[in-house]
Amino acid sequence: FPVTILVVIKLVDPDSITVELTPIGRQQKLYVKDISNNQVVAGGSHTPSYFYTVYGERCDVEKLEVEIG
């Protein structure tokens, strides 16, 4: 049962997108089926119920350099 999540990725590097799916209620088998064309397609149980968070790196600014020390 795929569900489409629309995402605006014009400011995001499409290769950096990750998605976190958290089931609501009971345990469910959730997965990301596809990320393309400004859309994230999630799949899972017959009637999936979940929260989602989409992460991505902005492509309109310089990369953040982390200093370890």
Side-chain angles (χ1 to χ4, degrees):
F1 187 85
V3 176
T4 301
I5 303 166
L6 297 177
V7 180
V8 178
I9 62 171
K10 292 181 180 182
L11 295 177
V12 177
D13 176 3
D15 294 330
S16 73
I17 295 174
T18 61
V19 181
E20 181 179 326
L21 303 172
T22 304
I24 299 172
R26 62 185 175 82
Q27 180 181 351
Q28 301 172 57
K29 293 181 180 180
L30 301 172
Y31 61 93
V32 175
K33 185 174 181 176
D34 185 39
I35 300 175
S36 62
N37 300 322
N38 292 337
Q39 297 181 351
V40 174
V41 180
S45 59
H46 299 290
T47 55
S49 179
Y50 55 90
F51 296 108
Y52 64 90
T53 305
V54 179
Y55 297 97
E57 186 176 295
R58 289 186 66 139
C59 59
D60 63 334
V61 295
E62 292 184 28
K63 290 187 179 212
L64 178 65
E65 291 189 35
V66 179
E67 293 182 19
I68 300 174

Coordinates of all heavy atoms in Angstrom, one line a residue:
F1 N 0.8 -1.2 0.0 CA 0.0 0.0 0.0 C 0.9 1.2 0.0 O 1.2 1.8 1.0 CB -0.9 0.0 1.2 CG -1.9 1.1 1.2 CD1 -3.1 0.9 0.6 CD2 -1.7 2.2 1.9 CE1 -4.1 1.9 0.6 CE2 -2.6 3.2 1.9 CZ -3.8 3.1 1.3
P2 N 1.4 1.7 -1.2 CA 2.3 2.8 -1.2 C 1.5 4.1 -0.9 O 0.4 4.3 -1.3 CB 2.8 2.8 -2.6 CG 1.9 2.0 -3.4 CD 1.2 1.1 -2.5
V3 N 2.2 5.0 -0.2 CA 1.6 6.3 0.1 C 2.7 7.4 -0.4 O 3.9 7.2 -0.1 CB 1.4 6.5 1.6 CG1 0.9 7.9 2.0 CG2 0.4 5.5 2.1
T4 N 2.2 8.4 -1.0 CA 3.1 9.4 -1.5 C 3.2 10.6 -0.6 O 2.2 11.1 -0.2 CB 2.7 9.9 -3.0 OG1 2.7 8.7 -3.8 CG2 3.7 10.9 -3.5
I5 N 4.4 11.0 -0.3 CA 4.7 12.2 0.6 C 5.3 13.2 -0.4 O 6.4 13.0 -0.9 CB 5.6 11.9 1.7 CG1 5.1 10.8 2.6 CG2 5.9 13.1 2.6 CD1 6.1 10.2 3.5
L6 N 4.7 14.4 -0.6 CA 5.2 15.4 -1.4 C 6.3 16.2 -0.7 O 6.0 16.6 0.4 CB 4.1 16.3 -2.0 CG 3.1 15.7 -2.8 CD1 2.0 16.7 -3.2 CD2 3.7 15.1 -4.1
V7 N 7.4 16.4 -1.3 CA 8.5 17.1 -0.7 C 9.0 18.1 -1.7 O 9.2 17.8 -2.8 CB 9.7 16.1 -0.3 CG1 10.8 16.9 0.3 CG2 9.2 15.0 0.6
V8 N 9.3 19.4 -1.2 CA 9.9 20.4 -2.0 C 11.4 20.2 -1.9 O 12.0 20.4 -0.9 CB 9.5 21.8 -1.6 CG1 10.1 22.8 -2.5 CG2 7.9 21.9 -1.7
I9 N 12.0 19.8 -3.0 CA 13.5 19.5 -3.0 C 14.3 20.5 -3.8 O 15.4 20.2 -4.1 CB 13.8 18.1 -3.3 CG1 13.4 17.7 -4.7 CG2 13.2 17.1 -2.3 CD1 13.9 16.4 -5.2
K10 N 13.7 21.6 -4.2 CA 14.5 22.5 -5.0 C 15.7 23.0 -4.3 O 16.7 23.3 -4.9 CB 13.6 23.7 -5.5 CG 12.5 23.3 -6.5 CD 11.7 24.4 -6.9 CE 10.7 23.9 -7.9 NZ 9.8 25.0 -8.4
L11 N 15.7 23.2 -3.0 CA 16.8 23.7 -2.2 C 17.6 22.6 -1.6 O 18.5 22.8 -0.8 CB 16.3 24.6 -1.1 CG 15.7 25.9 -1.6 CD1 15.2 26.8 -0.4 CD2 16.7 26.7 -2.5
V12 N 17.2 21.3 -1.9 CA 17.9 20.2 -1.3 C 18.6 19.3 -2.3 O 18.0 19.0 -3.4 CB 16.8 19.3 -0.5 CG1 17.4 18.1 0.1 CG2 16.1 20.2 0.6
D13 N 19.8 18.8 -2.0 CA 20.5 17.9 -2.8 C 19.7 16.6 -2.8 O 19.6 16.0 -1.8 CB 21.9 17.7 -2.3 CG 22.7 16.7 -3.0 OD1 22.2 16.1 -4.0 OD2 23.8 16.4 -2.6
P14 N 19.1 16.2 -3.9 CA 18.3 15.0 -3.9 C 19.1 13.7 -3.5 O 18.5 12.8 -3.0 CB 17.8 14.8 -5.4 CG 18.5 15.9 -6.2 CD 19.2 16.8 -5.2
D15 N 20.4 13.7 -3.7 CA 21.2 12.5 -3.3 C 21.4 12.5 -1.7 O 21.9 11.5 -1.2 CB 22.6 12.5 -3.9 CG 22.4 12.3 -5.4 OD1 21.5 11.7 -5.9 OD2 23.3 12.9 -6.2
S16 N 21.0 13.5 -1.0 CA 21.2 13.6 0.4 C 20.0 13.3 1.2 O 20.0 13.2 2.4 CB 21.8 14.9 0.8 OG 20.8 15.9 0.8
I17 N 18.9 13.1 0.5 CA 17.6 12.9 1.2 C 17.5 11.5 1.9 O 17.8 10.5 1.4 CB 16.4 13.0 0.3 CG1 16.3 14.4 -0.3 CG2 15.1 12.7 0.9 CD1 15.3 14.6 -1.4
T18 N 17.1 11.6 3.2 CA 16.8 10.4 4.0 C 15.4 10.6 4.6 O 15.0 11.7 4.9 CB 17.9 10.1 5.1 OG1 17.9 11.2 6.0 CG2 19.2 9.9 4.5
V19 N 14.8 9.5 4.9 CA 13.4 9.6 5.5 C 13.3 8.7 6.7 O 13.8 7.5 6.7 CB 12.4 9.1 4.4 CG1 11.0 9.2 5.0 CG2 12.5 10.0 3.2
E20 N 12.7 9.2 7.7 CA 12.5 8.3 9.0 C 11.0 8.1 9.1 O 10.2 9.1 9.1 CB 13.0 9.1 10.2 CG 12.9 8.4 11.5 CD 13.4 9.2 12.6 OE1 14.4 9.9 12.5 OE2 12.8 9.1 13.7
L21 N 10.6 6.9 9.2 CA 9.2 6.5 9.3 C 9.0 5.9 10.7 O 9.7 5.0 11.1 CB 8.8 5.5 8.3 CG 9.0 5.9 6.8 CD1 8.7 4.8 5.9 CD2 8.1 7.1 6.5
T22 N 8.0 6.4 11.5 CA 7.8 5.9 12.8 C 6.3 5.5 12.9 O 5.4 6.3 12.7 CB 8.0 7.0 13.9 OG1 9.3 7.5 13.7 CG2 7.8 6.5 15.3
P23 N 6.1 4.2 13.1 CA 4.7 3.7 13.2 C 3.9 4.3 14.3 O 4.4 4.6 15.4 CB 4.8 2.2 13.3 CG 6.2 2.0 13.8 CD 7.0 3.1 13.4
I24 N 2.6 4.5 14.1 CA 1.7 5.0 15.1 C 0.9 3.8 15.5 O 0.3 3.1 14.7 CB 0.8 6.1 14.5 CG1 1.6 7.3 14.1 CG2 -0.3 6.5 15.6 CD1 0.8 8.3 13.4
G25 N 0.8 3.6 16.8 CA 0.1 2.5 17.4 C 0.9 1.2 17.3 O 1.9 1.1 17.9
R26 N 0.4 0.2 16.6 CA 1.0 -1.1 16.6 C 2.3 -1.1 15.7 O 2.4 -0.3 14.8 CB 0.0 -2.2 16.2 CG -0.5 -2.0 14.8 CD -1.6 -3.0 14.5 NE -2.2 -2.8 13.2 CZ -1.7 -3.2 12.0 NH1 -0.6 -3.8 12.0 NH2 -2.3 -2.9 10.9
Q27 N 3.1 -2.2 15.8 CA 4.2 -2.4 14.9 C 3.8 -2.6 13.5 O 2.8 -3.2 13.2 CB 5.0 -3.6 15.4 CG 6.2 -3.9 14.6 CD 7.0 -5.1 15.1 OE1 6.7 -5.7 16.1 NE2 7.9 -5.6 14.3
Q28 N 4.5 -2.0 12.6 CA 4.2 -2.1 11.2 C 5.5 -2.3 10.4 O 6.5 -1.8 10.8 CB 3.5 -0.8 10.7 CG 2.2 -0.5 11.4 CD 1.7 0.9 10.9 OE1 1.5 1.1 9.8 NE2 1.5 1.8 11.9
K29 N 5.4 -2.9 9.3 CA 6.5 -3.0 8.3 C 6.5 -1.8 7.4 O 5.7 -1.8 6.5 CB 6.5 -4.3 7.6 CG 6.7 -5.5 8.4 CD 6.7 -6.8 7.6 CE 6.9 -8.0 8.5 NZ 6.9 -9.3 7.8
L30 N 7.3 -0.8 7.7 CA 7.3 0.4 6.8 C 8.6 0.5 6.1 O 9.6 0.1 6.6 CB 7.2 1.6 7.7 CG 5.9 1.7 8.6 CD1 6.0 2.9 9.6 CD2 4.7 1.9 7.8
Y31 N 8.5 1.0 4.9 CA 9.7 1.2 4.1 C 9.6 2.3 3.1 O 8.4 2.7 2.8 CB 10.1 -0.1 3.3 CG 9.0 -0.5 2.4 CD1 9.0 -0.1 1.0 CD2 7.9 -1.3 2.8 CE1 8.1 -0.5 0.1 CE2 6.9 -1.7 1.9 CZ 7.0 -1.3 0.6 OH 6.0 -1.7 -0.3
V32 N 10.7 2.9 2.6 CA 10.7 3.9 1.6 C 10.9 3.2 0.3 O 11.9 2.6 0.0 CB 11.8 5.0 1.8 CG1 11.8 6.0 0.7 CG2 11.5 5.7 3.1
K33 N 9.9 3.3 -0.6 CA 9.9 2.6 -1.9 C 10.7 3.4 -2.9 O 11.4 2.8 -3.7 CB 8.4 2.4 -2.3 CG 8.3 1.6 -3.6 CD 6.9 1.3 -3.9 CE 6.8 0.5 -5.2 NZ 5.4 0.1 -5.5
D34 N 10.5 4.7 -2.9 CA 11.2 5.5 -3.9 C 11.3 7.0 -3.5 O 10.4 7.5 -2.7 CB 10.4 5.5 -5.2 CG 11.1 6.2 -6.4 OD1 12.3 6.1 -6.5 OD2 10.4 6.8 -7.2
I35 N 12.4 7.6 -3.9 CA 12.5 9.1 -3.7 C 12.9 9.7 -5.0 O 14.0 9.4 -5.5 CB 13.6 9.4 -2.7 CG1 13.3 8.8 -1.3 CG2 13.8 10.9 -2.6 CD1 14.4 9.0 -0.3
S36 N 12.0 10.4 -5.7 CA 12.3 11.0 -7.0 C 11.2 12.0 -7.3 O 10.1 11.9 -6.8 CB 12.4 10.0 -8.1 OG 11.2 9.3 -8.2
N37 N 11.5 12.9 -8.2 CA 10.5 13.9 -8.7 C 9.7 14.6 -7.6 O 8.5 14.7 -7.7 CB 9.5 13.2 -9.7 CG 10.2 12.6 -10.9 OD1 11.1 13.1 -11.4 ND2 9.7 11.4 -11.3
N38 N 10.4 15.1 -6.6 CA 9.8 15.9 -5.5 C 8.9 15.0 -4.7 O 8.0 15.5 -4.1 CB 9.1 17.1 -6.0 CG 10.0 18.2 -6.5 OD1 11.2 18.2 -6.2 ND2 9.5 19.0 -7.4
Q39 N 9.0 13.7 -4.7 CA 8.1 12.8 -4.0 C 8.9 11.7 -3.2 O 9.9 11.3 -3.7 CB 7.1 12.2 -4.9 CG 6.2 13.1 -5.6 CD 5.2 12.4 -6.5 OE1 5.3 11.2 -6.7 NE2 4.3 13.1 -7.0
V40 N 8.4 11.4 -2.1 CA 8.9 10.2 -1.3 C 7.7 9.3 -1.3 O 6.6 9.6 -0.9 CB 9.3 10.6 0.1 CG1 9.6 9.4 0.9 CG2 10.4 11.6 0.1
V41 N 7.9 8.0 -1.8 CA 6.9 7.0 -1.8 C 7.2 6.0 -0.7 O 8.2 5.4 -0.7 CB 6.8 6.3 -3.1 CG1 5.7 5.3 -3.1 CG2 6.5 7.3 -4.2
A42 N 6.3 6.0 0.3 CA 6.5 5.0 1.4 C 5.5 3.9 1.3 O 4.4 4.0 0.8 CB 6.2 5.8 2.7
G43 N 5.9 2.7 1.7 CA 5.1 1.5 1.6 C 5.0 0.9 3.0 O 5.8 1.2 3.9
G44 N 4.1 0.0 3.1 CA 4.0 -0.7 4.4 C 2.8 -1.6 4.5 O 2.3 -2.2 3.4
S45 N 2.2 -1.7 5.7 CA 1.1 -2.6 5.9 C -0.1 -2.1 5.1 O -0.1 -1.1 4.5 CB 0.8 -2.7 7.4 OG 0.5 -1.4 7.9
H46 N -1.2 -2.9 5.1 CA -2.4 -2.6 4.3 C -3.0 -1.2 4.6 O -3.4 -0.5 3.7 CB -3.5 -3.6 4.6 CG -3.0 -5.0 4.2 ND1 -2.9 -5.3 2.9 CD2 -2.7 -6.1 4.9 CE1 -2.4 -6.6 2.8 NE2 -2.3 -7.1 4.1
T47 N -3.0 -0.7 5.9 CA -3.5 0.6 6.2 C -2.4 1.3 7.1 O -2.6 1.4 8.3 CB -4.8 0.6 6.9 OG1 -4.7 -0.3 8.1 CG2 -5.9 0.1 6.1
P48 N -1.3 1.7 6.5 CA -0.2 2.3 7.3 C -0.6 3.6 8.0 O -1.4 4.4 7.5 CB 0.9 2.6 6.2 CG 0.2 2.7 5.0 CD -1.0 1.8 5.0
S49 N -0.1 3.7 9.2 CA -0.3 4.9 10.0 C 1.0 5.2 10.6 O 1.5 4.4 11.4 CB -1.4 4.6 11.1 OG -1.6 5.7 11.9
Y50 N 1.6 6.4 10.3 CA 2.9 6.6 10.7 C 3.2 8.1 10.7 O 2.5 8.9 10.0 CB 4.0 5.9 9.9 CG 3.8 6.2 8.4 CD1 4.5 7.2 7.8 CD2 3.0 5.4 7.6 CE1 4.4 7.5 6.5 CE2 2.9 5.6 6.2 CZ 3.6 6.7 5.7 OH 3.5 7.0 4.3
F51 N 4.2 8.5 11.5 CA 4.8 9.9 11.4 C 6.0 9.7 10.4 O 6.6 8.7 10.3 CB 5.3 10.3 12.7 CG 4.2 10.5 13.7 CD1 4.1 9.6 14.8 CD2 3.3 11.6 13.7 CE1 3.1 9.8 15.7 CE2 2.3 11.8 14.6 CZ 2.2 10.9 15.6
Y52 N 6.4 10.9 9.8 CA 7.6 10.8 9.0 C 8.4 12.1 9.1 O 7.8 13.2 9.4 CB 7.2 10.6 7.5 CG 6.4 11.7 6.9 CD1 7.0 12.8 6.3 CD2 5.0 11.7 6.9 CE1 6.3 13.8 5.7 CE2 4.3 12.7 6.3 CZ 4.9 13.8 5.7 OH 4.2 14.8 5.2
T53 N 9.7 12.0 9.0 CA 10.6 13.1 9.0 C 11.5 13.0 7.8 O 12.0 11.9 7.6 CB 11.4 13.2 10.3 OG1 10.6 13.2 11.4 CG2 12.3 14.4 10.3
V54 N 11.6 14.0 7.0 CA 12.5 14.0 5.8 C 13.7 14.9 6.1 O 13.5 16.1 6.5 CB 11.7 14.5 4.6 CG1 12.6 14.5 3.3 CG2 10.5 13.7 4.3
Y55 N 14.9 14.4 5.9 CA 16.1 15.1 6.1 C 16.8 15.3 4.7 O 16.7 14.4 3.9 CB 17.1 14.4 7.0 CG 16.6 14.2 8.4 CD1 16.0 12.9 8.7 CD2 16.7 15.1 9.4 CE1 15.5 12.7 10.0 CE2 16.2 14.9 10.7 CZ 15.6 13.7 11.0 OH 15.2 13.5 12.2
G56 N 17.5 16.4 4.6 CA 18.3 16.6 3.3 C 19.3 17.8 3.5 O 19.1 18.6 4.4
E57 N 20.3 17.8 2.7 CA 21.3 18.8 2.8 C 21.0 19.9 1.8 O 20.7 19.6 0.6 CB 22.7 18.2 2.5 CG 23.8 19.1 2.6 CD 25.1 18.3 2.4 OE1 25.4 17.4 3.1 OE2 25.8 18.7 1.4
R58 N 21.0 21.1 2.3 CA 20.7 22.2 1.4 C 21.8 22.4 0.3 O 22.9 22.1 0.6 CB 20.6 23.5 2.2 CG 19.3 23.6 3.0 CD 19.2 24.9 3.7 NE 19.0 25.9 2.6 CZ 18.1 26.9 2.8 NH1 17.4 27.0 3.9 NH2 18.0 27.8 1.8
C59 N 21.4 22.7 -0.9 CA 22.3 22.9 -2.0 C 22.6 24.3 -2.4 O 23.4 24.6 -3.3 CB 21.9 22.0 -3.2 SG 20.3 22.5 -3.9
D60 N 21.9 25.3 -1.7 CA 22.1 26.7 -2.0 C 23.1 27.4 -1.1 O 23.3 28.6 -1.2 CB 20.8 27.4 -2.0 CG 20.1 27.4 -0.6 OD1 20.4 26.5 0.2 OD2 19.3 28.3 -0.4
V61 N 23.7 26.6 -0.2 CA 24.7 27.2 0.7 C 25.9 26.2 0.8 O 25.8 25.1 0.4 CB 24.2 27.4 2.2 CG1 23.0 28.4 2.2 CG2 23.7 26.1 2.7
E62 N 27.0 26.8 1.3 CA 28.2 25.9 1.4 C 28.0 24.8 2.4 O 27.3 25.0 3.4 CB 29.4 26.8 1.7 CG 29.9 27.7 0.6 CD 31.1 28.5 1.0 OE1 32.0 27.9 1.8 OE2 31.3 29.6 0.5
K63 N 28.7 23.7 2.2 CA 28.6 22.6 3.2 C 29.2 23.0 4.5 O 30.2 23.7 4.6 CB 29.3 21.4 2.7 CG 28.6 20.7 1.5 CD 29.3 19.4 1.1 CE 28.5 18.8 -0.1 NZ 28.5 17.4 0.0
L64 N 28.6 22.5 5.6 CA 29.1 22.8 6.9 C 30.2 21.9 7.2 O 30.1 20.7 7.0 CB 27.9 22.5 7.9 CG 28.3 22.7 9.4 CD1 28.6 24.1 9.7 CD2 27.2 22.2 10.3
E65 N 31.3 22.5 7.6 CA 32.5 21.7 7.9 C 32.6 21.5 9.5 O 32.6 22.5 10.2 CB 33.8 22.3 7.4 CG 33.9 22.3 5.9 CD 35.2 22.8 5.4 OE1 36.2 22.5 6.1 OE2 35.2 23.4 4.3
V66 N 32.6 20.3 9.9 CA 32.6 20.0 11.3 C 34.1 19.8 11.8 O 34.8 19.1 11.2 CB 31.8 18.7 11.7 CG1 31.9 18.4 13.2 CG2 30.4 18.9 11.2
E67 N 34.5 20.6 12.8 CA 35.8 20.4 13.3 C 35.8 19.5 14.5 O 35.0 19.6 15.4 CB 36.3 21.8 13.8 CG 36.5 22.8 12.6 CD 37.1 24.1 13.1 OE1 37.7 24.1 14.2 OE2 37.0 25.1 12.4
I68 N 36.7 18.5 14.5 CA 36.8 17.5 15.5 C 38.1 17.9 16.3 O 39.1 18.0 15.8 CB 36.9 16.1 15.0 CG1 35.6 15.8 14.2 CG2 37.1 15.1 16.1 CD1 35.7 14.4 13.5
G69 N 37.9 18.0 17.6 CA 39.1 18.4 18.4 C 38.9 18.5 19.8 O 38.4 18.7 20.7

